[in-house]
Amino acid sequence: MELNKTYKVKISDYDVMGNGVCHIDNIVVFVIGAMKDEEAIIKIINIHKKYAFAEAVRILSPSINRVKPKCKFYGLCGGCDLMHMDYQSELNIKANKVYQTLKKRKDVKFNSIIKSNNIYGYRNKVMVPFHKDSDGDVIYGFYEKKTHKVIPMNECIISSDIDNKILKLIRGYLSLFNISIYDEIAHKGLFREVMIRHTKDNSYMVVLVSTASYDFTRLVEILTAEIKEIKSIYLNINPLKTNVILSNDFKLLYGDKTITEDILGIKFEVSPSSFMQVNHDQCEKLYSEAIRMADLQPNMNVIDAYCGMGSITLNIAKKVNKVYAIEVVSDAINNANKNKELNNISNATFILGKCEEEITKLVNKEKIDVIFFDPPRKGCDINFLNTVISMKIPKIVYISCDIATASRDIDILEKNGYILQEVTPVDLFSRTSHVESITLLDLK
């Protein structure tokens, strides 16, 4: 096998990311863009000792499950990676990823993946960088995979039509008024990025990100005149040379400080910095399944770790005696307390602090029946897991956006008396290889 050389192969399977799998010289090759049972001409792009990566150059015999991608930027943009296959094939790959990662456990109930009814236009939040191309024209789009090269795009089909319209108006304004665009290499220029988020009822919030303060009054007038759904516009000032998009410096330019989302009948005030799942309908299914797994009862006391703005906490509160929610980010706790007041909920307590420290105080205070985890992609802190183990909390519901780190954490819990009982994959990010999972563990 040689780098950059082409080969004719038969694709025998998929890997957990949805890449095709074949063998050359007894070496496993993962083929980007190829599907199971296809014959293809592939080009080797990376070689390791025991495996290699390739890209499909030409498909000789297409799979019956191959579809024409709806997005004209597919293959260039680094966002979606499974748009070349039908939705059922995508679901099979995602469910199998979760199964293969957790299958070594015995007597585990693997539920069917929770599919989406809307696989396009579902994103309720987008972050879009603005750059200048080689001709000096203003462009916006998403980054090419594993690069900082922006692919110029006039629409994203997993975002809303209104998102796309807002971005076109902003580009027109920047071009017309010759606003300088930030160059991340030279660290010069004013305008960096746009964040757009919206709620179930189509209330929109726009955040303009720049390196310095600037009078965007005319842009605000253009946006609000053209798009009545815009309820809030912010300026975020981020002068730092960093990949972190938003700073803590927000200035309200127009409208309301927050927009209001409804999740399973509970209202949530959403600020520019609030964390919220990017797919509203699937978020509701995710939370409903997690609550079902927990088998919550009116006499129970529950902990929600890594609670964020309290989106699952307040839905738990409807079912139990008390729920204690812990978060280390102070702004999130402030947001959560406002949401608690907004819904007149009295049996939820939001606690600012480290989960491992606050859990000890709670368990020593009263009996805790269930704990929910919803950690970031890196998984749970080992000190947190050790604390949960030492507290002997009877039931754990673990929501994860990375099944590999969840599996690592589940291994630790199983070595210390917990048993994995049930698993449900959830398709939260349709047309991509990402998959959420919900797992239930009981103490022996």
Side-chain angles (χ1 to χ4, degrees), residues 272-399:
S273 56
S274 296
F275 171 78
M276 194 168 61
Q277 298 285 5
V278 300
N279 187 332
H280 174 272
D281 292 353
Q282 290 301 94
C283 173
E284 289 195 324
K285 294 178 185 178
L286 176 81
Y287 289 177
S288 296
E289 177 68 357
I291 289 168
R292 180 201 67 76
M293 274 193 188
D295 192 24
L296 299 177
Q297 303 298 324
N299 63 338
M300 284 184 169
N301 298 320
V302 177
I303 292 175
D304 178 19
Y306 309 96
C307 70
M309 69 173 187
S311 54
I312 194 167
T313 311
L314 299 181
N315 278 289
I316 292 169
K318 296 186 293 185
K319 307 278 187 181
V320 300
N321 177 44
K322 290 181 184 177
V323 56
Y324 299 95
I326 307 166
E327 175 61 61
V328 75
V329 179
S330 60
D331 285 348
I333 288 292
N334 292 336
N335 198 186
N337 278 313
K338 288 179 183 177
N339 291 328
K340 172 184 167 182
E341 293 174 11
L342 182 65
N343 292 279
N344 297 314
I345 291 174
S346 59
N347 64 332
T349 301
F350 291 98
I351 301 166
L352 177 63
K354 293 182 178 179
C355 289
E356 60 268 23
E357 296 174 2
E358 300 303 329
I359 288 172
T360 305
K361 298 174 189 175
L362 289 171
V363 174
N364 289 335
K365 178 180 170 184
E366 59 185 307
K367 181 177 180 291
I368 300 297
D369 301 286
V370 185
I371 183 167
F372 284 73
F373 301 171
D374 191 359
R377 185 168 294 277
K378 65 181 181 180
C380 296
D381 182 275
I382 186 63
N383 294 325
F384 168 69
L385 290 175
N386 287 335
T387 303
V388 171
I389 290 162
S390 66
M391 295 294 100
K392 299 188 182 302
I393 297 171
K395 188 177 293 187
I396 297 170
V397 177
Y398 191 148
I399 300 169

Side-chain angles (χ1 to χ4, degrees), residues 205 231-234 252 254-259:
M205 174 182 285
K231 308 300 181 186
S232 175
I233 301 178
Y234 277 88
L252 182 65
Y254 168 85
D256 303 323
K257 289 184 178 180
T258 61
I259 52 178

